[in-house]
Amino acid sequence: MDKIYSLLIIFAGSLLLGFAFNMFLLPHEILSGGVTGIAMIFSLMTPINAGLWLFVLNIPILIIGWMKLGKLFIANSVFSVAVTSISMLYIPVMKVTEDALLSSVFGGVLVGVGVGFIIRFYGSTGGFDVVGLLLTMKRDIPLGFLVFVLNSMVVFVSGFIFSWELAMYTMASIYITGLVVDRIHTRHIKLSLTVVTGKGDEVKQQLLENLYRGITVTDGEGAYSGNKVKVLYTVISRYELAYVRPLIKSIDPNAFVSISETMEVMGNFRKDDNFKKTPAA
């Protein structure tokens, strides 16, 4: 059921991308970023639909992702690219509004929502999303910001081919997309987790079995009750919190749990969230 739910979210996000491209961005020659933007440029310069260009240009990038990010991720990405490509073939290219600025803003928001949920549920739209995810595995850089930097080259290309006014609309759209993606995709956010519990051994065992994280355990004593407790400390990603919180509650409903955002982590910290749950947990 989790896999079906993830595929449905990826399917809906991919349809949203096709709608945003054909209804808001392409009619005003406002481009998306990266490979999608290049596909749009080719479609505007040739009679070949952008959906077909998108699929062809993504092939080499998806092959690299297959080797580095895993088969499930790339399978979901191929599914997303295929749904987006097919939707762009059947959704008519038409203007929702004559205002190019409104189209760039709303198009950027819709693309950001689509991309954010596709990535959150362990897929991608291909292109620079794959490149960005590979880089975020090495450093804790917000994905939306990273993809924005990579996509900026499309703005300059569109400026030379079309007009610099449209290039500025494209930059605005890509920037808004990056902001929305970072609101949804929060893997780069790290949280400090402190658990004070009378069932320290059970909580520790479950966390070790279900998380790829180190845990520091110290002995404690309740100042008021005088009860002996265990204090567990670790750092997790924002994604893992949705799984860790009910896990602790199921073992010790009375545990004291403190969660705070961590600015920076130094040392041996895994950048991926390979815990025993769906990737979107």
Side-chain angles (χ1 to χ4, degrees):
M1 290 301 297
D2 288 335
K3 290 181 180 179
I4 294 174
Y5 179 69
S6 296
L7 287 176
L8 287 175
I9 295 297
I10 293 172
F11 178 80
S14 302
L15 282 182
L16 185 61
L17 291 182
F19 177 81
F21 293 151
N22 283 10
M23 292 290 190
F24 288 95
L25 302 182
L26 276 176
H28 292 279
E29 296 182 346
I30 299 170
L31 307 180
S32 180
V35 173
T36 305
I38 296 172
M40 288 179 170
I41 292 175
F42 287 170
S43 72
L44 293 170
M45 298 177 63
T46 67
I48 301 175
N49 186 275
L52 293 176
W53 280 117
L54 179 64
F55 188 80
V56 171
L57 293 173
N58 269 299
I59 291 175
I61 296 176
L62 292 175
I63 291 175
I64 296 174
W66 179 282
M67 296 183 292
K68 298 291 184 179
L69 295 171
K71 296 180 181 179
L72 177 60
F73 174 82
I74 294 303
N76 289 342
S77 300
V78 170
F79 175 69
S80 173
V81 171
V83 172
T84 302
S85 300
I86 294 171
S87 67
M88 291 177 71
L89 291 173
Y90 289 97
I91 296 174
V93 179
M94 57 183 292
K95 294 181 180 179
V96 174
T97 174
E98 295 294 329
D99 192 317
L101 179 59
L102 279 177
S103 291
S104 67
V105 171
F106 280 94
V109 169
L110 292 178
V111 171
V113 171
V115 171
F117 277 105
I118 289 168
I119 292 175
R120 180 151 188 163
F121 283 81
Y122 208 55
S124 78
T125 59
F128 285 169
D129 287 354
V130 175
V131 178
L133 285 168
L134 287 170
L135 293 176
T136 56
M137 290 176 64
K138 302 297 182 182
R139 294 187 178 277
D140 292 325
I141 304 173
L143 180 63
F145 172 76
L146 184 58
V147 174
F148 168 73
V149 173
L150 293 172
N151 288 339
S152 295
M153 66 182 68
V154 178
V155 177
F156 295 102
V157 173
S158 66
F160 284 109
I161 295 177
F162 303 110
S163 72
W164 288 107
E165 182 179 2
L166 290 175
M168 287 187 285
Y169 285 137
T170 298
M171 176 66 82
S173 178
I174 293 174
Y175 179 71
I176 292 169
T177 295
L179 291 179
V180 176
V181 168
D182 280 340
R183 289 291 182 180
I184 299 172
H185 180 271
T186 55
R187 178 175 283 135
H188 63 282
I189 297 177
K190 301 298 180 287
L191 304 174
S192 293
L193 175 71
T194 303
V195 183
V196 181
T197 174
K199 299 181 179 180
D201 291 336
E202 293 94 326
V203 174
K204 179 186 71 174
Q205 189 62 33
Q206 286 299 312
L207 291 178
L208 288 175
E209 289 180 359
N210 291 277
L211 294 177
Y212 287 79
R213 306 296 179 201
I215 303 171
T216 299
V217 182
T218 57
D219 293 321
E221 179 180 314
Y224 179 77
S225 65
N227 294 333
K228 301 297 182 181
V229 295
K230 294 289 186 180
V231 181
L232 288 74
Y233 174 80
T234 187
V235 176
I236 61 176
S237 75
R238 180 65 180 81
Y239 278 15
E240 291 169 316
L241 178 60
Y243 179 58
V244 168
R245 193 158 37 195
L247 177 66
I248 296 173
K249 189 174 182 180
S250 66
I251 301 170
D252 184 4
N254 298 317
F256 176 82
V257 181
S258 174
I259 302 164
S260 59
E261 187 169 327
T262 300
M263 295 298 296
E264 184 177 357
V265 179
M266 299 177 63
N268 186 21
F269 180 84
R270 291 180 63 99
K271 301 297 189 296
D272 53 343
D273 310 328
N274 291 323
F275 50 94
K276 297 177 183 178
K277 188 66 175 171
T278 60

